[in-house]
């Protein structure tokens, strides 16, 4: 029996990495094994991965010396950083640089780097439609990742650049609907009638697995993915049907969203404004038929809602304000 090829999965206890870990562990072909990277192997999610069959190892992107051992002997690696943990583009770039260096030195056959577009190609720094943040970015968690792309090629890492998009799971967490004064659930993304590209985190994982299965085919390529492109009013209508109570879409202006004052409100406002103002180029880069060729199980928003109806209801009910 052939030995399984190890995929080192960074962020394995988080959204994207967790999606890939689950996809590999559930893959009937058994081609790959999961080496799940976490800062805390004793955490509940890490222990659950170990019980499911993953090898769990400790490493920290802020401690470059820990990265090499996590990659040793692996066939490939899934590389993802989490801007929202610290909200610093410079720290995210430093983490990416450490990942790239370690990946290049490890001699892997395939790396997948989770990245995003450089928003400044559509909305330059001198464009006053939105404020410049952290000195030189429009949407730091997009632009920092895009700036980091060259680290991987410079390091000689055989990399596929996987451009993701808004997770539908955000509707359960960071960007869940809020309850208005009348108790009605409201989505308040500042996008007007523009479409939002969204995807289920499990489909990021399944598509990443498909990229690894393609072997060297997609090394050097940029693969941009989404599950569906939808107007927020249509999403609100679908959510209303799914959870059994009205969900309204009441879009503020981007400035009003940025003024909400919660941590990351300016980042979020710029992100949604970018999605709206650069809708055509962003959605055009994500050919749903091409994504479905890689991942035939790609979910639509309706499919995702059907699977998460109870979770949505419980999350919104428990929080009182979404």
């Amino acid at each position: 029996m052939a030995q399984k090829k190890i995929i080192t999965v960074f962020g394995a206890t988080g959204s994207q990495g967790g999606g890939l870990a689950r996809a590999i562990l559930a893959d009937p072909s058994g081609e790959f094994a999961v080496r799940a990277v976490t800062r805390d192997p004793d955490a509940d999610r890490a222990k659950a991965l170990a019980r499911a069959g993953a090898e769990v190892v400790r490493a920290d992107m802020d401690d470059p010396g820990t990265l090499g051992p996590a990659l040793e002997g692996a066939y490939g690696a899934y590389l993802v950083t989490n801007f929202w943990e610290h909200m610093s583009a410079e720290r995210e770039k430093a983490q990416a640089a450490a990942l790239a260096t370690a990946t290049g030195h490890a001699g892997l056959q395939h790396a997948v780097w989770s990245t995003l577009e450089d928003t400044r190609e559509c909305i330059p720094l001198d464009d006053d439609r939105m404020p410049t943040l952290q000195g030189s970015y429009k949407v730091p968690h997009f632009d920092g990742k895009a700036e980091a792309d060259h680290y991987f090629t410079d390091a000689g890492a055989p990399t596929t650049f996987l451009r993701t998009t808004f997770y539908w799971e955000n509707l359960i967490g960071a960007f869940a609907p809020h309850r208005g004064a009348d108790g009605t659930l409201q989505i308040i993304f500042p996008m007007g009638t523009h479409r939002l590209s969204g995807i289920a985190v499990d489909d990021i994982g399944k598509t990443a697995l498909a990229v690894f299965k393609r072997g060297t085919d997609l090394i050097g390529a940029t693969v941009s993915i989404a599950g569906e492109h939808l107007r927020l009013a249509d999403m609100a209508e679908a959510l209303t049907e799914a959870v059994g109570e009205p969900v309204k879409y009441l879009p503020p202006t981007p400035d009003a969203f940025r003024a909400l004052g919660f941590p990351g409100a300016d980042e979020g406002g710029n992100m949604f404004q970018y999605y709206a103002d650069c809708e055509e180029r962003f959605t055009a880069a994500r050919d749903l038929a091409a994504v479905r060729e890689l991942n035939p199980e790609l979910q639509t928003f309706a499919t995702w809602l059907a699977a998460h109806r109870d979770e949505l209801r419980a999350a919104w009910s428990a929080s009182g304000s979404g």
Side-chain angles (χ1 to χ4, degrees), residues 3 5 75 141 193 204 212 224 259 262:
Q3 188 172 2
K5 294 181 284 190
Y75 164 83
H141 78 281
T193 59
I204 297 176
F212 282 118
S224 301
F262 63 85

Side-chain angles (χ1 to χ4, degrees), residues 78-188:
Y78 187 76
L79 310 166
V80 60
T81 50
N82 183 8
F83 169 90
W84 297 101
E85 186 176 63
H86 47 73
M87 293 194 285
S88 164
E90 293 304 312
R91 182 172 171 186
E92 189 168 33
K93 284 163 57 180
Q95 292 175 339
L99 287 171
T101 299
T103 302
H105 287 163
L108 303 187
Q109 294 186 50
H110 197 174
V112 175
W113 160 237
S114 175
T115 186
L116 287 162
E117 280 87 341
D118 190 327
T119 66
R120 296 161 298 186
E121 293 177 4
C122 180
I123 303 176
L125 287 179
D126 60 3
D127 189 324
D128 61 6
R129 273 181 288 171
M130 64 173 66
T132 294
L133 303 178
Q134 299 185 25
S136 57
Y137 308 102
K138 286 301 187 183
V139 185
H141 78 281
F142 274 65
D143 302 341
K145 291 181 181 69
E147 283 191 16
D149 286 353
H150 76 88
Y151 298 157
F152 296 90
T153 49
D154 291 352
T159 305
T160 300
F161 300 89
L162 186 70
R163 287 181 175 173
T164 62
T165 189
F166 183 88
Y167 313 156
W168 289 325
E169 282 76 7
N170 284 324
L171 295 169
I172 302 170
F175 292 102
H178 292 261
R179 290 196 183 273
D182 62 356
T184 303
L185 288 164
Q186 301 173 353
I187 298 176
I188 57 168

Side-chain angles (χ1 to χ4, degrees), residues 10 158 288 313:
F10 286 86
L288 302 183
R313 286 174 177 158

Side-chain angles (χ1 to χ4, degrees), residues 7 19 92 196 211 242 263 279 296:
I7 303 293
E92 189 168 33
L196 175 65
V211 169
E279 173 193 0

